[in-house]
Amino acid sequence: MPAGRRRILVVEDEPETAGQLVDSLATSGYQVDLAINGNDALSYGRSTDYAVMAIDRLLPDIDGIAVIRQLRADGVLTPALIISALGEIDERVRGLRAGGDDYLVKPFAFAELLARVEALARRSATVVKETVLRVGDLELDLVLRNANRGGRDIELLPREFQLLEYLVRNEGHVVTHFDPTTNIIDVYVGRVRRKVDGQQGYPLIHTVRGVGYCVRAPG
């Protein structure tokens, strides 16, 4: 694993456990950031590129599962290891369905935690590649939630970014109109098209009359 990927976020509110995790992971060669509550975890997770996030299930403000769910909604795909004293099958399933990648029940041996972190860190090398989408000279950064074309930043509202991301993920395929009773998608596509294709040498967003829209680069 490249050295730049060996950064881990630990989210744990219990001081003794947090200290043990940070010290042990640091000794194993990881650079560790510590968040002691859910709000800090969201801030760290949105702003820094981690190999893995190790998140305690029960936090004093925002539940660990809610933290993961929100980060996933924000486009953060960093592998997440949920650490919890709740070991019931239903709890495990709930955590994984919320976007967690693995689930470790307390108490645990550090050797097991390290093995799981290492497995997720290897996976994150692939995940990181998928956080940037490109078509032609358009680039979308799914972590920073920004777009640029030909090196020029494009200012997009959150819903505009979501729409463009959906179109780019379906590059070369026609995305049909979602609801024939409203033109709201047409309005948003019009806004996005002006921002993405305006004053450019060629368009990326194409209308397939009566069907929908398609993103494709020439050639």
Side-chain angles (χ1 to χ4, degrees):
M1 181 174 52
R5 301 302 310 141
R6 297 183 67 87
R7 189 166 186 172
I8 291 182
L9 174 64
V10 170
V11 185
E12 172 61 64
D13 65 303
E14 202 283 310
E16 183 175 354
T17 301
Q20 291 173 348
L21 288 175
V22 170
D23 290 345
S24 298
L25 287 168
T27 301
S28 300
Y30 290 93
Q31 180 179 349
V32 187
D33 290 338
L34 174 64
I36 61 174
N37 57 57
N39 280 308
D40 286 350
L42 289 173
S43 179
Y44 276 110
R46 288 165 175 155
S47 62
T48 306
D49 190 14
Y50 293 102
V52 178
M53 301 180 293
I55 302 180
D56 187 52
R57 168 72 169 78
L58 300 176
L59 296 170
D61 51 355
I62 304 174
D63 180 88
I65 288 179
V67 169
I68 294 173
R69 186 179 289 115
Q70 183 59 59
L71 289 174
R72 296 296 184 247
D74 292 341
V76 178
L77 303 179
T78 305
L81 171 63
I82 300 171
I83 301 175
S84 177
L86 305 175
E88 295 82 1
I89 294 297
D90 287 349
E91 289 294 335
R92 295 176 186 236
V93 170
R94 184 183 175 198
L96 296 174
R97 285 181 172 171
D101 297 273
D102 199 356
Y103 198 104
L104 182 61
V105 178
K106 297 177 179 180
F108 54 84
F110 178 75
E112 181 181 5
L113 178 137
L114 182 61
R116 292 179 184 236
V117 165
E118 289 174 344
L120 291 176
R122 288 193 297 270
R123 184 189 308 175
S124 75
T126 300
V127 171
V128 168
K129 294 178 183 177
E130 298 174 347
T131 63
V132 177
L133 302 179
R134 295 182 180 87
V135 54
D137 58 353
L138 174 68
E139 181 176 291
L140 300 185
D141 188 316
L142 305 182
V143 175
L144 299 179
R145 308 301 285 176
N146 60 31
N148 77 80
R149 184 168 180 189
R152 179 181 63 86
D153 290 338
I154 301 171
E155 293 187 8
L156 295 170
L157 298 174
R159 290 198 178 189
E160 294 171 348
F161 187 94
Q162 291 171 4
L163 176 60
L164 182 59
E165 177 187 344
Y166 184 72
L167 291 169
V168 169
R169 285 187 181 277
N170 289 276
E171 176 188 359
H173 300 280
V174 178
V175 176
T176 59
H177 297 294
F178 305 129
D179 186 350
T181 65
T182 178
N183 70 339
I184 187 65
I185 296 300
D186 300 301
V187 171
Y188 273 106
V189 170
R191 294 176 183 172
V192 172
R193 174 181 274 148
R194 285 191 293 273
K195 294 180 178 183
V196 172
D197 288 341
Q199 300 179 345
Q200 296 293 332
Y202 58 88
L204 290 173
I205 302 175
H206 303 268
T207 300
V208 180
R209 191 172 298 278
V211 181
Y213 303 95
C214 177
V215 164
R216 64 175 182 268

